[in-house]
Coordinates of all heavy atoms in Angstrom, one line a residue:
M64 N 0.8 -1.2 0.0 CA 0.0 0.0 0.0 C 0.9 1.2 0.0 O 0.3 2.4 -0.1 CB -1.0 0.1 1.2 CG -1.9 -1.2 1.3 SD -3.3 -1.1 0.4 CE -4.0 0.4 0.6
D65 N 2.2 1.1 0.1 CA 3.1 2.3 0.1 C 3.1 3.1 -1.1 O 3.3 4.3 -1.1 CB 4.5 1.8 0.5 CG 4.5 1.3 1.9 OD1 3.8 1.6 2.7 OD2 5.5 0.5 2.1
N66 N 2.9 2.5 -2.3 CA 2.9 3.1 -3.5 C 1.6 3.7 -4.1 O 1.4 4.1 -5.2 CB 3.6 2.3 -4.6 CG 2.8 1.0 -4.8 OD1 1.9 0.6 -4.0 ND2 3.2 0.2 -5.8
V67 N 0.6 3.7 -3.1 CA -0.7 4.3 -3.5 C -0.5 5.8 -3.4 O 0.0 6.4 -2.4 CB -1.8 3.8 -2.5 CG1 -3.2 4.5 -2.8 CG2 -2.0 2.3 -2.7
P68 N -1.1 6.6 -4.5 CA -1.0 8.0 -4.5 C -1.8 8.7 -3.3 O -2.5 8.0 -2.7 CB -1.6 8.5 -5.8 CG -2.2 7.3 -6.3 CD -1.7 6.1 -5.7
L69 N -1.6 10.0 -3.1 CA -2.3 10.6 -2.0 C -3.8 10.3 -2.2 O -4.3 10.3 -3.4 CB -2.1 12.2 -2.1 CG -0.6 12.5 -1.8 CD1 -0.5 14.0 -2.0 CD2 -0.4 12.2 -0.3
P70 N -4.6 10.1 -1.1 CA -6.0 9.7 -1.2 C -6.9 10.7 -1.9 O -6.8 11.9 -1.6 CB -6.4 9.4 0.2 CG -5.0 9.2 0.9 CD -4.0 10.0 0.2
T71 N -7.7 10.2 -2.7 CA -8.9 10.9 -3.1 C -10.0 10.3 -2.5 O -10.0 9.3 -1.8 CB -9.0 10.8 -4.7 OG1 -9.3 9.4 -5.0 CG2 -7.8 11.2 -5.4
P72 N -11.3 10.8 -2.6 CA -12.4 10.1 -2.0 C -12.5 8.7 -2.4 O -12.8 7.8 -1.6 CB -13.6 11.0 -2.4 CG -13.1 12.3 -2.6 CD -11.7 12.1 -3.2
L73 N -12.3 8.5 -3.7 CA -12.4 7.0 -4.2 C -11.3 6.2 -3.6 O -11.6 5.0 -3.0 CB -12.2 7.0 -5.6 CG -12.2 5.6 -6.4 CD1 -13.5 4.8 -6.1 CD2 -11.9 5.8 -7.8
L74 N -10.1 6.6 -3.5 CA -9.0 5.9 -2.9 C -9.2 5.7 -1.4 O -8.9 4.7 -0.8 CB -7.7 6.5 -3.3 CG -7.3 6.5 -4.8 CD1 -5.9 7.1 -5.0 CD2 -7.3 5.0 -5.3
T75 N -9.7 6.7 -0.8 CA -10.0 6.7 0.6 C -11.0 5.5 0.9 O -10.8 4.8 1.9 CB -10.5 8.0 1.2 OG1 -9.5 9.0 0.9 CG2 -10.8 7.9 2.7
E76 N -12.0 5.5 0.2 CA -12.9 4.3 0.4 C -12.3 3.0 0.2 O -12.6 2.0 0.9 CB -14.1 4.4 -0.6 CG -15.1 5.6 -0.3 CD -15.8 5.4 1.0 OE1 -16.3 4.3 1.3 OE2 -15.9 6.4 1.8
L77 N -11.5 2.9 -0.8 CA -10.8 1.5 -1.1 C -9.9 1.3 0.1 O -9.7 0.1 0.4 CB -10.1 1.6 -2.4 CG -11.0 1.5 -3.6 CD1 -10.1 1.7 -5.0 CD2 -11.7 0.1 -3.7
I78 N -9.1 2.2 0.6 CA -8.2 2.0 1.7 C -9.1 1.6 2.9 O -8.7 0.7 3.6 CB -7.4 3.3 2.0 CG1 -6.4 3.6 0.8 CG2 -6.7 3.1 3.3 CD1 -5.8 4.8 0.8
A79 N -10.1 2.2 3.2 CA -11.1 1.8 4.3 C -11.5 0.4 4.2 O -11.6 -0.4 5.1 CB -12.2 2.8 4.4
L80 N -11.9 0.0 3.0 CA -12.4 -1.3 2.6 C -11.2 -2.3 3.0 O -11.5 -3.3 3.6 CB -12.9 -1.4 1.2 CG -13.2 -2.8 0.7 CD1 -14.6 -3.1 1.5 CD2 -13.6 -2.7 -0.8
R81 N -10.0 -2.0 2.5 CA -8.9 -2.9 2.7 C -8.7 -3.0 4.3 O -8.5 -4.1 4.8 CB -7.7 -2.3 2.0 CG -6.4 -3.0 2.5 CD -6.3 -4.5 2.0 NE -5.1 -5.1 2.5 CZ -4.9 -6.2 3.1 NH1 -6.0 -6.8 3.6 NH2 -3.7 -6.6 3.5
V82 N -8.7 -1.9 5.1 CA -8.5 -1.9 6.5 C -9.5 -2.7 7.2 O -9.2 -3.5 8.0 CB -8.4 -0.6 7.0 CG1 -8.5 -0.5 8.4 CG2 -7.2 0.2 6.6
H83 N -10.8 -2.7 6.7 CA -11.9 -3.3 7.3 C -11.9 -4.9 7.0 O -12.6 -5.6 7.7 CB -13.2 -2.7 7.0 CG -13.4 -1.4 7.9 ND1 -13.0 -0.2 7.4 CD2 -14.0 -1.2 9.1 CE1 -13.2 0.6 8.3 NE2 -13.9 0.1 9.4
T84 N -11.4 -5.2 5.9 CA -11.5 -6.6 5.4 C -10.2 -7.4 5.7 O -10.3 -8.7 5.6 CB -11.9 -6.7 4.0 OG1 -10.8 -6.0 3.2 CG2 -13.2 -6.1 3.7
R85 N -9.1 -6.8 6.1 CA -7.8 -7.6 6.1 C -7.9 -8.7 7.2 O -7.0 -9.6 7.2 CB -6.7 -6.7 6.4 CG -6.7 -6.0 7.8 CD -5.5 -5.1 7.8 NE -5.7 -4.2 9.0 CZ -5.0 -3.2 9.3 NH1 -4.1 -2.8 8.5 NH2 -5.1 -2.5 10.4
H86 N -8.8 -8.6 8.1 CA -8.8 -9.6 9.2 C -9.9 -10.7 9.0 O -10.2 -11.6 9.8 CB -9.1 -9.1 10.6 CG -8.0 -8.1 11.0 ND1 -6.7 -8.5 11.2 CD2 -8.1 -6.7 11.1 CE1 -6.0 -7.4 11.6 NE2 -6.8 -6.3 11.5
L87 N -10.4 -10.7 7.8 CA -11.6 -11.7 7.5 C -11.1 -13.2 7.6 O -11.8 -14.0 8.1 CB -12.2 -11.4 6.2 CG -13.1 -10.2 6.1 CD1 -13.5 -10.0 4.6 CD2 -14.2 -10.3 7.0
G88 N -9.9 -13.4 7.1 CA -9.4 -14.8 7.2 C -9.3 -15.3 8.7 O -9.7 -16.4 9.0
W89 N -8.7 -14.5 9.5 CA -8.5 -14.8 10.9 C -10.0 -14.9 11.6 O -10.2 -15.9 12.3 CB -7.8 -13.6 11.6 CG -7.6 -13.8 13.1 CD1 -6.5 -14.6 13.6 CD2 -8.3 -13.2 14.2 NE1 -6.6 -14.5 14.9 CE2 -7.6 -13.7 15.4 CE3 -9.4 -12.4 14.2 CZ2 -8.2 -13.3 16.6 CZ3 -9.9 -12.1 15.4 CH2 -9.3 -12.5 16.6
L90 N -10.8 -14.0 11.4 CA -12.2 -14.1 11.9 C -12.9 -15.3 11.5 O -13.7 -16.0 12.1 CB -13.0 -12.8 11.6 CG -12.5 -11.6 12.3 CD1 -13.2 -10.4 11.8 CD2 -12.9 -11.7 13.9
S91 N -12.7 -15.7 10.2 CA -13.5 -16.8 9.6 C -13.0 -18.1 10.2 O -13.6 -19.1 10.2 CB -13.3 -16.9 8.1 OG -13.9 -15.7 7.5
E92 N -11.8 -18.1 10.8 CA -11.3 -19.3 11.4 C -12.0 -19.5 12.8 O -12.0 -20.6 13.3 CB -9.8 -19.3 11.6 CG -9.0 -19.4 10.4 CD -7.5 -19.1 10.6 OE1 -7.1 -18.8 11.7 OE2 -6.8 -19.2 9.6
R93 N -12.6 -18.5 13.3 CA -13.2 -18.5 14.6 C -14.7 -18.5 14.6 O -15.3 -18.8 15.6 CB -12.7 -17.4 15.4 CG -11.3 -17.5 15.8 CD -10.5 -16.2 16.0 NE -9.1 -16.4 16.4 CZ -8.1 -16.7 15.6 NH1 -8.4 -17.0 14.3 NH2 -6.9 -17.0 15.9
E94 N -15.3 -18.0 13.5 CA -16.7 -18.1 13.4 C -17.1 -18.8 12.2 O -16.5 -18.8 11.2 CB -17.2 -16.6 13.3 CG -16.8 -15.7 14.4 CD -17.3 -14.2 14.2 OE1 -18.2 -14.0 13.4 OE2 -16.6 -13.3 14.7
H95 N -18.3 -19.6 12.3 CA -18.8 -20.4 11.2 C -20.2 -19.9 10.7 O -21.2 -20.2 11.5 CB -18.8 -21.8 11.6 CG -19.1 -22.7 10.4 ND1 -18.1 -22.9 9.4 CD2 -20.1 -23.4 10.1 CE1 -18.6 -23.8 8.5 NE2 -19.9 -24.1 8.9
C96 N -20.3 -19.2 9.7 CA -21.6 -18.7 9.1 C -21.5 -18.5 7.6 O -21.5 -17.4 7.1 CB -22.0 -17.4 9.8 SG -20.7 -16.1 9.9
P97 N -21.3 -19.7 6.9 CA -21.0 -19.6 5.5 C -22.1 -19.0 4.7 O -21.8 -18.3 3.6 CB -20.7 -21.1 5.1 CG -21.4 -21.9 6.1 CD -21.2 -21.0 7.4
E98 N -23.3 -19.2 5.0 CA -24.4 -18.7 4.1 C -24.4 -17.2 4.2 O -24.5 -16.5 3.2 CB -25.7 -19.2 4.5 CG -25.9 -20.7 4.3 CD -25.4 -21.6 5.4 OE1 -25.0 -21.1 6.5 OE2 -25.2 -22.8 5.2
Q99 N -24.4 -16.6 5.4 CA -24.4 -15.2 5.6 C -23.1 -14.5 4.9 O -23.1 -13.5 4.4 CB -24.5 -14.8 7.1 CG -25.8 -15.3 7.8 CD -25.6 -16.6 8.3 OE1 -24.8 -17.4 8.0 NE2 -26.5 -16.9 9.3
Y100 N -21.9 -15.3 5.1 CA -20.7 -14.7 4.7 C -20.8 -14.6 3.2 O -20.4 -13.6 2.5 CB -19.5 -15.7 5.0 CG -18.1 -15.3 4.6 CD1 -17.3 -14.7 5.6 CD2 -17.7 -15.3 3.3 CE1 -16.1 -14.2 5.2 CE2 -16.5 -14.8 3.0 CZ -15.6 -14.3 4.0 OH -14.4 -13.8 3.7
Q101 N -21.3 -15.7 2.5 CA -21.4 -15.7 1.0 C -22.3 -14.6 0.5 O -22.0 -13.9 -0.5 CB -21.9 -17.0 0.5 CG -22.0 -17.1 -1.0 CD -22.5 -18.5 -1.4 OE1 -23.4 -19.0 -0.8 NE2 -21.9 -19.0 -2.5
L102 N -23.4 -14.4 1.2 CA -24.3 -13.3 0.8 C -23.7 -11.9 0.9 O -23.8 -11.2 0.0 CB -25.6 -13.4 1.7 CG -26.7 -12.4 1.4 CD1 -27.3 -12.7 0.1 CD2 -27.7 -12.4 2.5
L103 N -23.1 -11.6 2.1 CA -22.4 -10.4 2.3 C -21.3 -10.2 1.3 O -20.9 -9.1 0.7 CB -22.1 -10.2 3.7 CG -23.3 -10.0 4.6 CD1 -22.9 -10.1 6.1 CD2 -24.0 -8.7 4.4
A104 N -20.4 -11.2 1.2 CA -19.2 -11.2 0.3 C -19.6 -10.9 -1.2 O -19.0 -10.2 -1.8 CB -18.4 -12.5 0.4
R105 N -20.7 -11.6 -1.6 CA -21.2 -11.3 -2.9 C -21.7 -9.9 -3.2 O -21.3 -9.3 -4.2 CB -22.4 -12.2 -3.2 CG -22.9 -12.2 -4.6 CD -23.9 -13.2 -4.9 NE -23.4 -14.5 -4.9 CZ -24.1 -15.6 -4.3 NH1 -25.2 -15.5 -3.8 NH2 -23.4 -16.8 -4.4
A106 N -22.3 -9.4 -2.2 CA -22.7 -7.9 -2.3 C -21.5 -6.9 -2.4 O -21.5 -6.0 -3.2 CB -23.6 -7.5 -1.1
L107 N -20.5 -7.3 -1.5 CA -19.3 -6.5 -1.5 C -18.6 -6.6 -2.8 O -18.1 -5.5 -3.4 CB -18.4 -7.0 -0.4 CG -17.0 -6.3 -0.3 CD1 -17.2 -4.9 0.2 CD2 -16.1 -7.1 0.7
L108 N -18.4 -7.8 -3.4 CA -17.8 -7.9 -4.7 C -18.5 -7.3 -5.8 O -18.0 -6.7 -6.7 CB -17.6 -9.4 -5.1 CG -16.5 -10.1 -4.2 CD1 -16.7 -11.6 -4.5 CD2 -15.3 -9.6 -4.3
Q109 N -19.9 -7.3 -5.7 CA -20.7 -6.5 -6.7 C -20.4 -5.0 -6.7 O -20.3 -4.3 -7.7 CB -22.2 -6.8 -6.6 CG -22.6 -8.3 -6.9 CD -23.9 -8.6 -6.6 OE1 -24.6 -7.9 -5.7 NE2 -24.5 -9.7 -7.2
D110 N -20.2 -4.4 -5.4 CA -20.0 -3.0 -5.3 C -18.6 -2.7 -5.9 O -18.4 -1.8 -6.6 CB -20.0 -2.7 -3.8 CG -21.4 -2.7 -3.3 OD1 -22.4 -2.6 -4.1 OD2 -21.6 -2.7 -2.0
V111 N -17.6 -3.6 -5.6 CA -16.2 -3.4 -6.1 C -16.3 -3.5 -7.7 O -15.5 -2.7 -8.3 CB -15.3 -4.4 -5.5 CG1 -13.9 -4.4 -6.1 CG2 -15.1 -4.1 -4.0
L112 N -17.0 -4.5 -8.2 CA -17.1 -4.7 -9.6 C -17.7 -3.4 -10.3 O -17.3 -3.0 -11.4 CB -17.8 -6.0 -10.0 CG -17.9 -6.3 -11.5 CD1 -16.5 -6.3 -12.1 CD2 -18.6 -7.5 -11.6
E113 N -18.7 -3.0 -9.7 CA -19.4 -1.7 -10.3 C -18.4 -0.6 -10.4 O -18.3 0.1 -11.4 CB -20.6 -1.4 -9.4 CG -21.3 -0.2 -9.9 CD -22.5 0.2 -9.0 OE1 -23.0 -0.7 -8.2 OE2 -22.9 1.4 -9.0
G114 N -17.6 -0.4 -9.3 CA -16.6 0.7 -9.3 C -15.5 0.4 -10.4 O -15.1 1.2 -11.1
W115 N -15.1 -0.9 -10.5 CA -14.0 -1.2 -11.4 C -14.6 -1.1 -12.9 O -13.8 -0.5 -13.8 CB -13.6 -2.7 -11.2 CG -12.5 -3.1 -12.2 CD1 -12.6 -4.2 -13.0 CD2 -11.3 -2.5 -12.5 NE1 -11.5 -4.3 -13.8 CE2 -10.6 -3.3 -13.4 CE3 -10.6 -1.4 -11.9 CZ2 -9.3 -3.0 -13.9 CZ3 -9.3 -1.1 -12.4 CH2 -8.8 -1.9 -13.4
R116 N -15.8 -1.4 -13.2 CA -16.4 -1.2 -14.5 C -16.4 0.3 -14.8 O -16.2 0.6 -15.9 CB -17.8 -1.8 -14.6 CG -17.7 -3.4 -14.7 CD -19.0 -3.9 -14.9 NE -18.9 -5.4 -15.1 CZ -19.8 -6.3 -14.9 NH1 -20.8 -6.0 -14.3 NH2 -19.5 -7.6 -15.1
A117 N -16.7 1.1 -13.8 CA -16.8 2.5 -14.1 C -15.3 3.0 -14.4 O -15.1 3.9 -15.3 CB -17.3 3.4 -12.9
Q118 N -14.3 2.5 -13.8 CA -12.9 2.8 -14.1 C -12.4 2.4 -15.4 O -11.5 2.9 -16.0 CB -12.1 2.2 -12.9 CG -12.2 2.8 -11.6 CD -11.6 4.3 -11.5 OE1 -10.6 4.5 -11.8 NE2 -12.5 5.1 -11.2
T119 N -13.1 1.4 -15.9 CA -12.5 0.7 -17.2 C -13.5 1.0 -18.4 O -13.5 0.2 -19.3 CB -12.4 -0.8 -17.0 OG1 -13.6 -1.4 -16.7 CG2 -11.3 -1.1 -16.0
G120 N -14.4 1.9 -18.3 CA -15.3 2.3 -19.3 C -16.4 1.2 -19.5 O -17.0 1.0 -20.5
G121 N -16.7 0.4 -18.4 CA -17.8 -0.6 -18.4 C -17.2 -2.0 -18.8 O -18.1 -2.9 -18.9
Y122 N -16.0 -2.2 -19.1 CA -15.5 -3.5 -19.6 C -14.7 -4.3 -18.6 O -14.2 -5.3 -19.0 CB -14.7 -3.3 -20.8 CG -15.6 -2.5 -21.9 CD1 -15.2 -1.3 -22.4 CD2 -16.8 -3.0 -22.3 CE1 -16.0 -0.6 -23.2 CE2 -17.7 -2.3 -23.2 CZ -17.2 -1.1 -23.6 OH -17.9 -0.4 -24.6
G123 N -14.4 -3.9 -17.5 CA -13.6 -4.6 -16.5 C -14.4 -5.7 -15.8 O -15.6 -5.8 -15.9
C124 N -13.6 -6.7 -15.4 CA -14.3 -7.9 -14.7 C -13.4 -8.2 -13.4 O -12.3 -7.7 -13.3 CB -14.4 -9.1 -15.6 SG -12.8 -9.8 -16.1
L125 N -13.9 -9.0 -12.6 CA -13.3 -9.4 -11.3 C -11.9 -10.0 -11.6 O -11.0 -9.8 -10.9 CB -14.1 -10.3 -10.5 CG -15.3 -9.7 -9.7 CD1 -16.2 -10.7 -9.1 CD2 -14.8 -8.7 -8.9
D126 N -11.7 -10.8 -12.7 CA -10.5 -11.3 -13.0 C -9.4 -10.3 -13.1 O -8.2 -10.6 -12.8 CB -10.5 -12.2 -14.3 CG -11.3 -13.5 -14.1 OD1 -11.5 -13.9 -12.9 OD2 -11.7 -14.0 -15.2
D127 N -9.7 -9.2 -13.6 CA -8.8 -8.1 -13.7 C -8.1 -7.7 -12.4 O -7.0 -7.3 -12.3 CB -9.4 -6.8 -14.4 CG -9.9 -7.0 -15.8 OD1 -9.4 -7.9 -16.4 OD2 -10.8 -6.3 -16.2
L128 N -9.1 -7.7 -11.4 CA -8.5 -7.3 -10.0 C -7.9 -8.4 -9.3 O -7.1 -8.1 -8.3 CB -9.9 -6.9 -9.2 CG -10.7 -5.8 -9.9 CD1 -12.0 -5.6 -9.0 CD2 -9.9 -4.5 -9.9
I129 N -8.0 -9.7 -9.6 CA -7.3 -10.7 -9.0 C -6.0 -11.0 -9.7 O -5.0 -11.3 -9.0 CB -8.2 -12.0 -9.1 CG1 -9.5 -11.7 -8.4 CG2 -7.5 -13.2 -8.6 CD1 -10.5 -12.7 -8.5
Q130 N -5.9 -10.9 -11.0 CA -4.6 -11.2 -11.7 C -4.0 -9.9 -12.1 O -4.7 -8.9 -12.4 CB -4.8 -12.1 -12.8 CG -5.4 -13.4 -12.4 CD -5.7 -14.3 -13.6 OE1 -5.2 -14.0 -14.6 NE2 -6.3 -15.4 -13.4
P131 N -2.7 -9.8 -12.3 CA -2.0 -8.6 -12.7 C -2.5 -8.2 -14.1 O -2.7 -9.1 -14.9 CB -0.6 -9.0 -12.8 CG -0.4 -10.1 -11.9 CD -1.7 -10.8 -11.9
R132 N -2.7 -6.9 -14.3 CA -3.2 -6.4 -15.6 C -2.1 -6.4 -16.6 O -1.1 -5.8 -16.4 CB -3.7 -5.0 -15.3 CG -4.4 -4.4 -16.5 CD -5.0 -3.1 -16.2 NE -5.4 -2.4 -17.3 CZ -5.9 -1.2 -17.4 NH1 -6.2 -0.6 -16.3 NH2 -6.2 -0.7 -18.6
T133 N -2.4 -7.0 -17.7 CA -1.5 -7.2 -18.9 C -2.0 -6.7 -20.1 O -1.6 -7.0 -21.2 CB -1.0 -8.6 -19.0 OG1 -2.1 -9.4 -19.3 CG2 -0.2 -9.2 -17.9
H134 N -3.2 -5.9 -20.0 CA -3.8 -5.4 -21.2 C -4.4 -4.1 -21.0 O -4.5 -3.6 -19.9 CB -4.9 -6.5 -21.6 CG -5.8 -6.7 -20.6 ND1 -5.6 -7.8 -19.7 CD2 -7.0 -6.1 -20.1 CE1 -6.6 -7.8 -18.8 NE2 -7.4 -6.8 -19.1
T135 N -4.9 -3.4 -22.1 CA -5.6 -2.2 -22.0 C -7.0 -2.4 -22.6 O -7.2 -3.4 -23.3 CB -4.8 -1.0 -22.7 OG1 -4.7 -1.4 -24.1 CG2 -3.5 -0.7 -22.0
Y136 N -7.9 -1.5 -22.4 CA -9.2 -1.7 -22.9 C -9.6 -0.8 -24.1 O -9.1 0.3 -24.2 CB -10.2 -1.3 -21.7 CG -10.1 -2.2 -20.6 CD1 -9.3 -2.0 -19.6 CD2 -11.0 -3.4 -20.6 CE1 -9.1 -2.8 -18.5 CE2 -10.7 -4.3 -19.5 CZ -9.9 -4.0 -18.5 OH -9.8 -4.9 -17.5
R137 N -10.3 -1.4 -25.0 CA -10.9 -0.6 -26.1 C -12.2 -0.1 -25.7 O -12.7 -0.2 -24.7 CB -11.0 -1.5 -27.2 CG -9.8 -2.1 -27.8 CD -10.1 -3.1 -29.1 NE -9.0 -3.8 -29.4 CZ -9.1 -4.9 -30.1 NH1 -10.2 -5.3 -30.5 NH2 -8.0 -5.5 -30.3
Q138 N -12.9 0.6 -26.6 CA -14.1 1.1 -26.5 C -15.3 0.1 -26.4 O -16.3 0.3 -25.7 CB -14.4 2.3 -27.4 CG -13.5 3.5 -27.3 CD -13.7 4.2 -25.9 OE1 -13.8 3.5 -24.8 NE2 -13.8 5.4 -25.9
A139 N -15.2 -0.8 -27.3 CA -16.4 -1.8 -27.5 C -15.9 -3.2 -27.0 O -14.9 -3.6 -27.5 CB -16.8 -1.8 -29.0
P140 N -16.8 -3.8 -26.2 CA -16.5 -5.1 -25.8 C -16.7 -6.3 -26.9 O -17.5 -6.2 -27.6 CB -17.4 -5.4 -24.7 CG -18.6 -4.6 -24.9 CD -18.1 -3.4 -25.8
D141 N -15.8 -7.2 -26.8 CA -16.0 -8.3 -27.7 C -15.6 -9.8 -27.0 O -15.3 -10.7 -27.8 CB -15.4 -8.2 -29.1 CG -13.8 -8.0 -29.1 OD1 -13.2 -8.2 -28.0 OD2 -13.3 -7.5 -30.0
T142 N -15.4 -9.6 -25.8 CA -15.1 -10.9 -25.0 C -15.9 -10.9 -23.8 O -16.4 -9.9 -23.4 CB -13.5 -11.0 -24.7 OG1 -13.2 -10.0 -23.8 CG2 -12.7 -10.8 -25.9
R143 N -15.8 -12.0 -23.0 CA -16.6 -12.1 -21.8 C -16.3 -11.0 -20.8 O -17.0 -10.4 -20.1 CB -16.3 -13.5 -21.1 CG -17.0 -13.6 -19.7 CD -16.5 -14.9 -19.1 NE -15.1 -14.7 -18.6 CZ -14.8 -14.1 -17.5 NH1 -15.7 -13.6 -16.7 NH2 -13.5 -14.1 -17.2
C144 N -15.0 -10.7 -20.7 CA -14.4 -9.8 -19.7 C -14.3 -8.3 -20.3 O -14.1 -7.4 -19.5 CB -13.1 -10.2 -19.2 SG -12.3 -9.4 -17.9
G145 N -14.5 -8.1 -21.5 CA -14.4 -6.8 -22.0 C -13.4 -7.0 -23.3 O -12.7 -8.0 -23.4
S146 N -13.3 -6.0 -24.1 CA -12.5 -6.0 -25.3 C -11.1 -5.7 -24.8 O -10.8 -4.7 -24.3 CB -13.0 -4.9 -26.3 OG -12.3 -5.0 -27.4
L147 N -10.2 -6.7 -25.1 CA -8.8 -6.5 -24.6 C -7.8 -6.4 -25.7 O -7.9 -7.0 -26.8 CB -8.4 -7.8 -23.9 CG -9.4 -8.2 -22.8 CD1 -8.9 -9.5 -22.1 CD2 -9.5 -7.1 -21.8
V148 N -6.8 -5.6 -25.5 CA -5.7 -5.3 -26.4 C -4.5 -5.8 -25.6 O -4.2 -5.4 -24.5 CB -5.5 -3.9 -26.7 CG1 -4.2 -3.8 -27.6 CG2 -6.7 -3.3 -27.5
T149 N -3.8 -6.9 -26.0 CA -2.7 -7.4 -25.3 C -1.3 -7.0 -25.9 O -1.3 -6.5 -27.0 CB -2.7 -8.9 -25.2 OG1 -2.7 -9.5 -26.5 CG2 -3.9 -9.4 -24.4

């Protein structure tokens, strides 16, 4: 997190999300509520994906956030995840 630029409102929200979620693994070892976890995690991921799609002109997908980015986006989609230029 050291190379993140000075916070903007968007980056501040993402930093807060990171701070609040970094202990989920530890807590999940101590509490067992998989149905509720899945429901809330799904909603959280949908919010993150909505923001990412706004950042990528509507063509980003969750895979982009999990794996290092090795492509740029075009204007029109033609693949599952968006139109990619490698």
Side-chain angles (χ1 to χ4, degrees):
M64 301 280 312
D65 293 334
N66 58 352
V67 174
L69 292 175
T71 66
L73 174 62
L74 295 178
T75 299
E76 289 295 319
L77 286 171
I78 291 167
L80 179 63
R81 171 66 179 124
V82 168
H83 284 88
T84 60
R85 67 181 174 193
H86 300 295
L87 288 177
W89 181 82
L90 288 168
S91 293
E92 292 173 357
R93 288 151 179 79
E94 300 176 29
H95 188 73
C96 46
E98 293 85 12
Q99 297 91 337
Y100 188 102
Q101 184 180 36
L102 181 67
L103 292 167
R105 185 176 291 140
L107 176 67
L108 291 173
Q109 288 172 342
D110 291 341
V111 170
L112 180 57
E113 181 181 338
W115 180 238
R116 285 186 175 151
Q118 291 290 303
T119 60
Y122 306 118
C124 68
L125 286 176
D126 288 343
D127 298 335
L128 301 173
I129 296 168
Q130 300 181 10
R132 185 172 167 182
T133 59
H134 54 268
T135 57
Y136 294 89
R137 295 184 193 155
Q138 295 294 49
D141 58 18
T142 68
R143 175 190 70 82
C144 183
S146 182
L147 306 178
V148 177
T149 56

